[in-house]
Amino acid sequence: MHMADALLSPAVGATMWAGTAAVTGYASKRLRRQIDDRLIPLMGVLGAFIFAAQMINFTIPGTGSSGHLGGGMILAVLLGPHAAFLVMASVLTVQALFFADGGLLALGCNIWNLGFYPCYLAYPLIYRPLIGRCGNPGRILGASVLSVAVGLQLGAFSVVLETFLSGKSELPFGAFVLLMQPIHLAIGCVEGFVTAGVINYVRSARPEILESIAAARPIGSGVSLRNLLVTFIVLAVIAGGALSWFASTHPDGLEWSIAKITGRGELAEATRGLVPTLKGIQEKTAFLPDYNFRPAEKPKEEEASGWPGVDAGTSVAGVIGAAVCIGLIVLIGLGIRSFRGKNRA
């Protein structure tokens, strides 16, 4: 559900950038109370895991469409809403800048749609009340599926609304929403099961983490995170380096919805103004565009690729992207912790 710049007007894109910046500032301020040396590496490896997991699109049977993990609810449950939002923002920024996945103008929208709703609405208003004090596997599954589905529905509707407010007449509001909502409901159900599986694994391995995050307190120094960190790093390498070869070749829910209306998976980009300027910047920063090596020259005709797409470029992109996410998120965490230390001094 990564929006391209072609779907937005500069006014809507800038407005969403402002809203996302405000939430980022709020999240950073609130995180200072909870962050410690133990939360920072967990933020980094979970960010790497979500980055790699998002590379794996899964087919939605009978639709010709696909979806991928958003990951916002996993992050919110395992890190708390404030750290989760900052991690999601970091992952999406790395994707946009270095892999040309999602536009720069649309980055504010993408962070809002994939980060704000799961972290600040679905998690506190749906997941936490449903879990209560009894976080057994059954409750975790039910709460995960419902909260992820609601969060994704809100995100999908926001995509439609942002496009409508941008004046994109090629995508009529009614037709667009009637395609976006059902397909993302199906995607949300699949993601809900994956989310429950990850949370239940952490619950069995280190239940103290869930207890600390739910109580909004630092993770105790007596809780060993080594095995958990190693597990998520290994999962990130496997997902980005190998499982990404098996990603569905079908268009994702957003591209599928656009194609159903317009006959093509994307809208024409503006040739003047802010959008081409941002695109030029992105072309310079994206050293592995579309999660692969830059082609020596543009092919005259795009040939259909086989499946699985075994490709060294994809593997390199997955591993490097995960590493960049860890580095960026750890730097952000250390900066927030350092700022808290200065305030105390």
Side-chain angles (χ1 to χ4, degrees), residues 42-106:
L42 186 60
M43 290 169 60
V45 298
L46 285 175
F49 170 70
I50 295 301
F51 172 90
Q54 286 191 5
M55 293 179 65
I56 307 171
N57 278 43
F58 48 84
T59 297
I60 304 299
T63 64
S65 177
S66 69
H68 63 74
L69 193 73
M73 191 57 57
I74 291 175
L75 296 174
V77 175
L78 300 183
L79 299 173
H82 312 305
F85 182 83
L86 294 177
V87 170
M88 181 60 73
S90 301
V91 170
L92 292 171
T93 299
V94 168
Q95 290 173 340
L97 278 176
F98 304 129
F99 302 92
D101 188 6
L104 295 184
L105 177 64

Side-chain angles (χ1 to χ4, degrees), residues 125-214:
L125 300 180
I126 299 176
Y127 184 89
R128 287 303 311 162
L130 288 177
I131 286 296
R133 295 182 179 180
C134 179
N136 60 55
R139 279 204 174 193
I140 288 174
L141 175 60
S144 297
V145 172
L146 183 58
S147 56
V148 169
V150 171
L152 202 55
Q153 285 292 287
L154 291 172
F157 184 77
S158 284
V159 170
V160 176
L161 187 60
E162 289 152 3
T163 305
F164 173 74
L165 294 176
S166 294
K168 301 300 178 179
S169 57
E170 304 98 317
L171 298 171
F173 181 87
F176 199 20
V177 77
L178 287 175
L179 288 168
M180 283 285 287
Q181 302 308 131
I183 196 66
H184 284 91
L185 178 60
I187 294 170
C189 289
V190 175
E191 181 179 346
F193 277 89
V194 176
T195 298
V198 174
I199 295 171
N200 275 317
Y201 162 70
V202 175
R203 175 181 175 274
S204 65
R206 279 288 174 263
E208 303 92 340
I209 293 176
L210 298 180
E211 294 168 2
S212 297
I213 296 303

